[in-house]
Amino acid sequence: MKRWGVLILVFLGLVWVSCSSAQEGIHIEAGEITYDEVNQVIEARGGVKLTWQDLALSTYRLLYFLSDHTLLVPEPLEVVLGKNRAKAKRFFFDFQKNAGWIEDAELFYVVDAQRKLYFRGSKIRYQEGKWWGKDLLLTGSQKEPPAYSFRADEITVYPNERIEMQEVGFFINKHRLLYLPALSKDLRRKGSSFLPQIGHQREKGFFIGGNYELFFAEKWRLLFEAEYTSKTGFLGSGNLFWENSPLTGSLFYDFRQQDKDSFGGYIFYEGNHFQGGVLSYFNQPLDDARDGFLSRPLQVVARFNGEEERASWGLDLSYGFFKEESVSDARFDVRGTLDWNNENLGISLLAHYTSFGFYPDRFLWGGKVHFLEEVNPDFSYGATYTFLSDNVASPFSFDTEREHSLSLEFSLGKEEESHLRVRGAYDLLQGCFDEVIFGLNLGSKDFAVGFEEQYSFVDNEVLERRYFIRKKISDAILVEASYLSEEQTFYLDATLIGFDAPPKDRSLFVEEEPFDLFEVGRDNW
């Protein structure tokens, strides 16, 4: 047995150990290292640090077994695996299988740049990015007791995909509010919220809505959405998803008590530089069905794209039959895009050709230049110039129209604190000012009140006013109430920070995403 009493860098196996699962060495630094030649065990003590690929840990003592390339840390430790970090009392890891476990642990799991989750339990297992365990607590709160938590008999986290839970209780502080036999969460789905949405709209009356998601097999997922309104009755949606990368598919049916039902499905292939699919949609609502419905009984889509350091390009093709309330025709679309961006300047170019079966062919072309300069953390200004021209107007309402405009914008103050924001637009086609949007936010990211107004110079009237109040409850629940005075609409949104996707931004400064006929999924809905 040999000892070294200085800080030392060790390649396991005294100089170098090459595991079958890795070509990189395992590096250990410690105040004292012991090698048991009989049992082939390396023991490190005192200020121990170990690194291997995307694994790094620090502790007081560890044991490495050369016979099977496994590691045991019987002391409290901190460990980093990829983007995720954990604190635990014990740790085991098999380097050949890239698998292990932590005991009496708290796992800090990074969902994306905006979301982090915390898992607590007696034993959490890991294998190649996947985490799972029994009798676990999941929360986005760092307080004790947590502001909210899910406590489940079993939780499994599939990296960058989903969370599955069995026998789940939902708690606010220490109080259980709900029990579910199973609950799933698609980490990729935008705008999803566990808590119901409540509000009032002029057309709907009072409404309440929510969703429930369940992965019932490795490649299958169900999503149920429901909403009840005092004026239009019940709306229910059932969605069945199948995924076997690079193929995905979906079937859906939307029931509306006082309007047309929607139904359809798609199958989609997604590669690195090519995506393509076939879809069939009936009665897709345009603008919450107030402007009618769109049906696409059969549409074929192919999309090619590429990206460099600052530039990207796309070539999209589509052929199908489209039917609105009073317009129907077959159409073949080809769209080319080119985008270039640096730190404060962006340029986009567009060319879109449409060949109709009955109506005249249409060619839309143009581009956009966007400039944004941050003078200091408290002041920024920018401008956007848009030019779109066509040879003939489209018979369909969802197609992009011609535009020639210039907008200027400035912001005074930090975005998450008190700030003033103004944006004005000038219509170069009409030769007059179009509109101005003014916004004032007072407060911080924990509590804020504000007011926004959109004024039209063309109509000489206020198009919309928005009043809002935003409050963070404890450290992990965000509640926002918004009222749109002209539309007579009230929204109450509650978000479980970390678990839910970021809430929909209802600001008047946010421009609605235009309808994209090349989009196969239901993001347009």
Side-chain angles (χ1 to χ4, degrees), residues 458-517:
V458 177
D459 300 323
N460 196 28
E461 65 179 8
V462 174
L463 298 181
E464 191 57 87
R465 288 191 180 96
R466 173 177 177 254
Y467 305 88
F468 65 90
I469 180 170
R470 186 186 308 114
K471 171 66 177 174
K472 182 187 284 188
I473 301 175
S474 186
D475 66 333
I477 302 176
L478 183 66
V479 178
E480 180 173 298
S482 295
Y483 178 68
L484 303 175
S485 62
E486 303 304 308
E487 196 177 281
Q488 297 180 22
T489 298
F490 171 76
Y491 293 103
L492 181 63
D493 297 308
T495 303
L496 303 179
I497 297 173
F499 187 77
D500 287 335
K504 181 178 180 180
D505 192 343
R506 303 191 184 280
S507 170
L508 300 183
F509 287 93
V510 176
E511 299 179 3
E512 289 291 332
E513 288 291 329
F515 175 85
D516 187 354
L517 65 90

Side-chain angles (χ1 to χ4, degrees), residues 109-118 139-140 148 497-499:
Y109 185 84
V110 178
V111 179
D112 52 39
Q114 297 177 293
R115 291 189 287 171
K116 295 180 182 179
L117 287 171
Y118 307 93
T139 182
Y148 78 86
I497 297 173
F499 187 77

Side-chain angles (χ1 to χ4, degrees), residues 373-392:
E373 177 69 26
E374 185 177 295
V375 179
N376 57 56
D378 293 313
F379 180 71
S380 63
Y381 66 92
T384 301
Y385 172 74
T386 304
F387 175 77
L388 292 172
S389 181
D390 58 7
N391 62 323
V392 64

Side-chain angles (χ1 to χ4, degrees), residues 27-44:
H27 302 264
I28 297 178
E29 295 180 12
E32 180 181 311
I33 294 178
T34 301
Y35 176 50
D36 185 339
E37 296 183 51
V38 176
N39 297 310
Q40 291 189 304
V41 178
I42 293 176
E43 180 178 1

Side-chain angles (χ1 to χ4, degrees), residues 45 163 235 284 322 327 340 357 362:
R45 291 176 177 268
I163 299 173
L235 185 151
Q284 176 179 353
F322 289 67
V327 180
W340 180 88
R362 181 175 189 248

